[in-house]
Amino acid sequence: MKKITSLQIRNMAIGLVVAVVFGTIGNYVGYSVMPLDTIPGMLILYAITLLGYLLSAVMPGNMPDMVYVSLIGVLMAIPVNPLSPYVVEHVGKVQLLAVVTPILAYSGLVIGRDWGAFRKLSWRAVIVGIVVICSTFFWSVFISELLLPISQGLLG
Amino acid sequence: MEQNKSIEAFTPWKDWKFHGVIILVCILCELIGAIPIDITENIRVTLLPLLYAMVITTALYLFKKFPLVDKKHEGSASFMMNVTCLILMAKLGINTGNAIDSIAEASLPVIFSNFGDALTCLIALPLGLLLGMDREVIGLTFGCSREGGIAVCEGRYGSKGSEFRGVMGMYIVGTVFGTIVIGLLTSICSSMGIFNLSSIAIAAGCGSASMSSAGIGTLALMHPESEDMISAMATASNLISTAIAIYAAIFIALPLAEWEFKLLYPILSKSGREERKKAKAAAKSGEKN
């Protein structure tokens, strides 16, 4: 069992409020979804996240909180769950990109901090890294093109 | 542990100016909106607000005269990244649950493409050696900028080895350029019109969390009608890979990269060739004596 203090729970709860405000503003500015329409979905996301965070502390095994959060999200939305249509409808109004933009805005600071280490690695690592990413990507596309029909056949 | 530290270091009211700057950056970027650039008639690249947001904050940090984004906000920033990532996970989980049927379809290709990822070092490792790299090249090429890869590499070579420097380098390249590269690749592939949308979505999930969100974002913007399917496939691919990639790395990719390094280092790398000459000379003088 992981130990989490009440201070950590409080900070998580406050941090989530900040994230919800960010997402609501982003959803309004970038995608013209009115805040009143966004808020129910955001509250659902808030509850799922906090619940997942608390579960990761209570449950045995040192699983990362992300696993629990994503799992609860899945369980809330699978068609078997009677709440699913309600959850899917409201969370659907929260645009994915409105949630992602703040993450990358914050990550800019981390990148700036590691800038020195990054410059030392120089252009060679960049070239090799990009080749790795491209080959992984194309390999994955080709394999999926080949195997998707097979697995669709197996399931259907 | 580190995560717990950053949670305790979080003081929202103390760093409110910093968070204010971040929200202003987000608002500005969302106002600019996505910019589609047509490279050729059917290849379209879409620059997303998330990309400008990252560039702007990095610039603000590097611009020393701007005190509101500074090293002292590191704790707040990594904590908030953590929190927003959790919200994103909840949102992605809901998308996944809603499209659970198409995910079952994705599992087979994702498993195979992960074991195939091991083969990518066949192309990238010789290139790194030609560019004059040493053992860093092993860490750099055995996997595709994943959080799990760092852990595997640290466990096998320790955090002081050059292999570890390589895997960290790959992670930074992935975070800085990977988002752009994945965005480009997904939009190029989907505007070519040869591949299935689901295949592209599976491939978009291949890298770290930020890479796959850039891929999902680009694809969802080009095909808004299938946003759920796209994010479900890419998230499933990302989740299944997180579990499998570690084993693929330990049992296939790293041993393969080691073997390839031993084989090619004396041939392709400059310092490797010199070492071989020296060893030969030493052997000769040994024979004479």
Side-chain angles (χ1 to χ4, degrees):
Chain A
M1 223 163 94
K2 266 187 287 188
K3 260 176 81 181
I4 49 173
T5 61
S6 57
L7 180 70
Q8 283 171 349
I9 298 174
R10 189 204 65 180
N11 278 349
M12 179 54 83
I14 299 171
L16 280 170
V17 173
V18 178
V20 162
V21 171
F22 272 41
T24 311
I25 295 176
N27 223 13
Y28 175 64
V29 178
Y31 309 93
S32 328
V33 184
M34 291 313 264
L36 274 179
D37 289 335
T38 316
I39 284 171
M42 274 296 184
L43 287 180
I44 295 174
L45 292 177
Y46 183 98
I48 292 176
T49 312
L50 199 60
L51 188 66
Y53 176 69
L54 294 175
L55 262 185
S56 79
V58 179
M59 296 294 271
N62 220 346
M63 295 274 270
D65 40 12
M66 286 200 171
V67 175
Y68 287 103
V69 172
S70 131
L71 208 65
I72 299 172
V74 172
L75 292 179
M76 290 300 285
I78 43 174
V80 192
N81 189 328
L83 289 174
S84 149
Y86 178 81
V87 170
V88 170
E89 190 208 327
H90 285 290
V91 176
K93 286 183 184 143
V94 180
Q95 294 296 312
L96 189 68
L97 286 175
V99 184
V100 177
T101 307
I103 301 179
L104 287 165
Y106 279 113
S107 82
L109 187 139
V110 180
I111 294 164
R113 187 196 62 195
D114 294 338
W115 196 251
F118 186 64
R119 280 187 54 183
K120 260 184 219 154
L121 272 160
S122 81
W123 55 275
R124 274 172 271 165
V126 176
I127 293 177
V128 177
I130 288 176
V131 169
V132 171
I133 295 171
C134 290
S135 48
T136 310
F137 184 89
F138 281 113
W139 171 262
S140 191
V141 171
F142 287 130
I143 287 293
S144 309
E145 282 288 316
L146 278 178
L147 293 182
L148 258 182
I150 299 175
S151 63
Q152 275 163 349
L154 283 178
L155 289 163
Chain B
M1 269 285 108
E2 232 169 78
Q3 184 193 335
N4 290 347
K5 241 194 225 161
S6 76
I7 288 185
E8 286 189 343
F10 177 62
T11 40
W13 32 89
K14 204 176 91 191
D15 283 344
W16 66 272
K17 280 183 188 160
F18 167 64
H19 298 294
V21 171
I22 296 288
I23 187 68
L24 286 180
V25 169
C26 289
I27 292 175
L28 177 74
C29 297
E30 297 286 8
L31 280 178
I32 300 171
I35 305 176
I37 301 171
D38 293 319
I39 295 181
T40 67
E41 212 170 291
N42 47 4
I43 296 180
R44 164 176 282 197
V45 171
T46 310
L47 301 179
L48 290 177
L50 55 96
L51 184 68
Y52 333 139
M54 190 174 80
V55 173
I56 292 177
T57 350
T58 312
L60 288 178
Y61 181 89
L62 294 175
F63 186 59
K64 287 291 170 216
K65 282 182 189 148
F66 191 76
L68 291 179
V69 178
D70 190 71
K71 198 170 179 357
K72 64 173 184 254
H73 301 118
E74 203 182 323
S76 283
S78 53
F79 172 72
M80 281 307 295
M81 262 169 84
N82 199 336
V83 171
T84 356
C85 276
L86 286 179
I87 294 257
L88 175 68
M89 282 320 249
K91 163 83 180 152
L92 290 177
I94 283 167
N95 284 359
T96 311
N98 191 29
I100 198 86
D101 298 332
S102 45
I103 286 170
E105 286 170 11
S107 55
L108 191 66
V110 172
I111 291 168
F112 274 89
S113 60
N114 257 295
F115 282 96
D117 279 354
L119 301 172
T120 58
C121 65
L122 288 179
I123 307 167
L125 195 136
L127 181 74
L129 286 176
L130 281 175
L131 289 172
M133 286 182 180
D134 211 322
R135 287 187 69 85
E136 290 99 342
V137 79
I138 294 179
L140 200 65
T141 56
F142 82 93
C144 183
S145 181
R146 292 187 139 281
E147 291 82 355
I150 299 175
V152 169
C153 203
E154 204 266 335
R156 192 168 169 129
Y157 300 106
S159 61
K160 281 178 187 158
S162 24
E163 296 89 353
F164 189 71
R165 210 178 314 135
V167 82
M168 282 316 290
M170 182 63 216
Y171 193 70
I172 299 175
V173 172
T175 327
V176 184
F177 295 94
T179 45
I180 308 171
V181 173
I182 288 287
L184 282 173
L185 288 174
T186 47
S187 57
I188 290 171
C189 275
S190 89
S191 43
M192 280 198 302
I194 328 171
F195 302 110
N196 272 319
L197 195 54
S198 12
S199 307
I200 306 171
I202 290 174
C206 72
S208 63
S210 60
M211 278 160 70
S212 68
S213 40
I216 296 171
T218 316
L219 267 188
L221 203 80
M222 296 177 84
H223 305 273
E225 72 288 349
S226 8
E227 191 200 303
D228 270 13
M229 189 277 283
I230 291 165
S231 70
M233 284 290 194
T235 314
S237 150
N238 206 273
L239 282 175
I240 304 174
S241 310
T242 312
I244 298 169
I246 297 174
Y247 303 104
I250 295 174
F251 294 114
I252 302 176
L254 272 179
L256 190 72
E258 278 280 354
W259 173 79
E260 207 187 344
F261 182 83
K262 263 184 210 140
L263 186 77
L264 294 177
Y265 182 68
I267 305 168
L268 291 179
S269 160
K270 207 179 163 192
S271 52
R273 280 197 299 266
E274 276 160 16
E275 266 175 38
R276 195 170 56 155
K277 269 184 198 163
K278 270 184 201 163
K280 264 191 182 172
K284 266 187 186 171
S285 63
E287 273 168 26
K288 274 176 194 168
N289 295 337

